[in-house]
Amino acid sequence: MLPTSHPWIEGETLGEHLESRGVTRRDFLVFCGQISAVLGLSELAVPGVANALQAVKRPSVIWLQLQECTGCVESVLRTADPTIGDLVLDLVSLDYSHTLMAGAGHAVEAALKDSVKTNFGKYVLIVTGSIPTKDGGIYTMLSGRTAEEVLVEVSKGAAAILAVGACAHWGSVQAARPNPTGAVGVRDIIKDKPVINIAGCPPIGDVVTATVVHFLTFGRLPATDAEGRPLFAYGKRIHDQCPRRAHFDAGQYVEEFDDEGARKGLCLYHVGCKGPATFSPCPIFQWNSHTSWPIGAGHPCIGCTEPHFWDTMTPFYERLPDVGGFGVEQRVDLLGAALALGATAGVAAHAIATGVHQMREKKRSLPVVDQPPGGGAGSGAKGA
Amino acid sequence: MAATKVVVDPITRIEGHLRIEVQAENGKITNSWASSTQFRGIELVMVGRDPRDAWAFTQRICGVCTVVHAVASCRAVEDALGITIPANAELIRNLVHGMQFVQDHVIHFYHLHALDWVDVVSALKADPEGTAKIARSISPWPNNSATHFAEVQNRVKKFVGSGQLGIFTNGYWGHPAYKLPPEVNLLGVAHYLEALDWQRDVIRLHTIFGGKNPHPNFLVGGMASAINLDSTATINAVRLSEIADMLRRARAFVEQVYWPDLVAIAGFYKDWAAIGGGAKNYLACGEFPEATVKDYDKLYFPRGVILDRDLTKVHPYDHQHVTENITSSWYEYSGGEGKALHPFEGETMAKYTGPKPPWTYLQDEPKYTWMKAPRYDGKVMEVGPLARMLVAYASGHPDVKAIVGDTLGKLGVGPAALFSTLGRTAARGMETVLLVKKLQDWYDALVARIKGGDTQTFSKDKWSPDKWPAKAQGYGYLDAPRGALGHWVQIENGKIARYQCVVPSTWNCSPRDDKGQMGAYEASLVDNHPLVNPEQPLEILRTIHSFDPCMACGVHVLDAQGNLLTEVKVQ
């Protein structure tokens, strides 16, 4: 979405573009392999991804910022790889963005109108921020119009809508109890189109770009869970991918910050980690060019990819209550229990929660399969 | 000729939603209104919650200055609970906050402000050899070759030729206020692109100590990132050397790209040293504790207040003198809106009285914004880099005196030039140059402490709520990249009873108060301010961007005994 040092020219295919940049076919295939891995595709899919990507032309992207903090824009600015990351960002022509556009006022509103008109039915709409619905929507006004009015209008011609970040997903911090402005997510307003929720406060920028790549490569949006979150990123709990998991299973915990356990990198469950209830790619993708991630830096997960986490995951430093979403295998739980002499209550909670989770998982599994075109969030909007 | 009414909404290349309205006559702005058009109510959300969680909620006020509310919140809660954090944690917070400054200021210059001064289209006409010559004359940066600039120019040519201009669509290219020769425009464009890569790299310091950016993690009582040289999962020699490398790269870019570019570009716009001054008072709450946060005389940037641009005297800063007025804001006070309130007594009841959307003009409305009007002793204040540099300069700060003197000398202007649009932009660069060196000092101090055997990063004593008093209140200050920030918290029975923030962009974007005094943005736009073509409000962008607006930050809230009083300023 950013201008990069190697802008991609309209009409140029990605293959031509890469050639003009001196990227070899081999490097490109390596990239396709990486992006396929991110998307959870097998090695066999790599040539298909390569062919599809190579033929792609620059589609328009319109980025609306509603009631928000700009953190999601910043996160995408930090997208990982300095060369290939640029390339992914460069897949699109960013026709509207408050944060980056050179012009202002009427000039950019005209640019928005032009892009909607020219690319009607084809553009990708990225939305960050929630929509305040109380009092006629006057809590977020853009060019003198309510956020809701602008969103509804611009969504009409969108081939795909990506709701990026917790605010666009479900409202986030301003929708936390008591939700003073009546903030809601995009899916609460736009009901006649597939909306992909790139969850997180903010999400990892790479998930946003990978979703765009998926759309451009396959001509449809990725499969999602019931929350509309792409499975390639949000299909697993943090707890089940956590490098500190062995310590959980062994009953080795940080009991307070900066204690011996903290200095050995033990499990943060007892100081409030919400990893067992949180579906997120953090441990795998990591943050900021794979530098680290919250648990890696010694702080418990706060569960920011889950809806309503400001209410359901707080107090952040309290151990997870005995409901909802523990997803460890029971056998391993019991092993952990046996080793964790004395942590009986927690273990019982675990076992119960595992059962609860299994039920939830069954429910979740329904909408995650690909649906026929025109269907729900996981369906294949055509475009590009 | 009658005054022309001009609306600029959205103001782009800022954080958040800002609308500027002006009246212009004969090429000059004669009146102005700054309106923040978003409200979120975050402080209201915080009532009844665990004060140890407050940093995470308030951090979400802003994803650009993603560190500042979190640290101010930790300080407020630590003040209330009587917690002194370990020296290592203070150093780590300085490193994290200092890097926020450096990265944020560079992003601001290239990605949010440069296009006000640099004409991208003109860069196409540049002679790359000429650009290289200029670049080499001001800096040893390795990418200053004709080949590199020609490559950048070719890409931009192809890009412009495609007709798909993306974010450059409908820019004010060719506007007569653009004064740079094509060669310098090309220099600016090349470094705009380089800075995009640079910012992703150096911010990883936040990821090492806080796990991610934006919104790294913090902790009341210290930092959660434990130090252990003998573990793979903690701050160890590998992590420290990564940080050392980042600091080197940060310093090289600031000293060899950002600062030379800023000075070179400023040389072509000296007329802007007499434009856009505005408010005559400047406030800094001080920042970067070199001992504890309570050792006010050991802050790297001192605190203080400058009145009426008099640099011979620095008045002491005391948060008790801060009040907020709502005469022009969409709020009401239970005691009537005539009385300004200190944040510990502040209330906020949102009450929208503006026109029914869609809006045409707000300038004829008695109330026209979600921002309140903070005042210090009833006076309008400007906060931010310029205020900090002025307070430090007037306080006799040796580093600041040296760089201010040097810069004024290079540009051939006197100290009065600082009170301007250009002065604001220059001050931001100056403090970046100073801080990128200070980062190294803090890093060295941290390493020395670890070497000496001190690895403590967290004070455990008051972590547990059963050690807290039944009632407590605290104030957390922090001078953020955009200026003085304050968080005020009241805690009752282990829960937040009231929470308020007065933030930099609330000071600067404040509307008129009960005495009709304009806020800093508004005042700057009527201070000898040109507007040649109302259809292309480039000059307005220059001055507003010189403040680096961060509208999401204008929030406030609280509650008083169940009567929910919110006070949010913006967002």
Side-chain angles (χ1 to χ4, degrees), chain B residues 94-237:
Chain B
N94 278 355
L95 283 168
V96 170
H97 187 205
M99 187 57 96
Q100 168 87 59
F101 261 79
V102 170
Q103 190 242 17
D104 206 17
H105 282 356
V106 171
I107 289 184
H108 173 262
F109 182 72
Y110 286 105
H111 306 130
L112 305 183
H113 202 19
L115 300 180
D116 302 335
W117 314 99
V118 172
D119 183 336
V120 176
V121 175
S122 152
L124 301 180
K125 294 189 293 237
D127 168 17
E129 196 68 61
T131 302
K133 213 170 145 190
I134 294 168
R136 281 196 299 261
S137 75
I138 57 174
S139 157
W141 186 244
N143 271 354
N144 285 339
S145 69
T147 324
H148 174 69
F149 293 122
E151 210 181 304
V152 170
Q153 190 184 38
N154 269 331
R155 291 182 202 127
V156 178
K157 262 184 192 157
K158 281 175 80 179
F159 190 80
V160 171
S162 78
Q164 234 185 332
L165 288 182
I167 60 164
F168 300 117
T169 309
N170 293 357
Y172 307 124
W173 318 123
H175 190 288
Y178 283 119
K179 297 286 201 251
L180 300 180
E183 284 69 27
V184 180
N185 281 318
L186 179 56
L187 183 73
V189 172
H191 291 163
Y192 177 108
L193 299 173
E194 269 190 74
L196 279 174
D197 286 339
W198 173 87
Q199 57 90 21
R200 280 194 287 254
D201 170 32
V202 296
I203 206 62
R204 295 184 304 113
L205 185 147
H206 288 187
T207 322
I208 289 174
F209 288 120
K212 62 178 185 154
N213 172 285
H215 297 331
N217 290 310
F218 289 87
L219 186 68
V220 165
M223 290 296 286
S225 50
I227 299 170
N228 179 0
L229 298 180
D230 302 315
S231 168
T232 56
T234 50
I235 302 301
N236 54 26

Side-chain angles (χ1 to χ4, degrees), chain A residues 50-115:
Chain A
N51 287 338
L53 268 183
Q54 244 177 339
V56 147
K57 297 189 181 176
R58 268 202 321 169
S60 288
V61 167
I62 292 172
W63 189 319
L64 288 183
Q65 292 166 248
L66 308 177
Q67 190 184 26
E68 52 120 38
C69 81
T70 313
C72 296
V73 176
E74 292 281 338
S75 191
V76 172
L77 295 191
R78 313 269 190 274
T79 296
D81 202 301
T83 52
I84 296 297
D86 271 9
L87 195 154
V88 176
L89 290 170
D90 227 358
L91 283 167
V92 301
S93 171
L94 182 59
D95 289 350
Y96 187 78
S97 151
H98 276 195
T99 305
L100 293 168
M101 288 197 83
H106 303 311
V108 296
E109 292 314 289
L112 174 62
K113 268 196 190 126
D114 283 353
S115 181

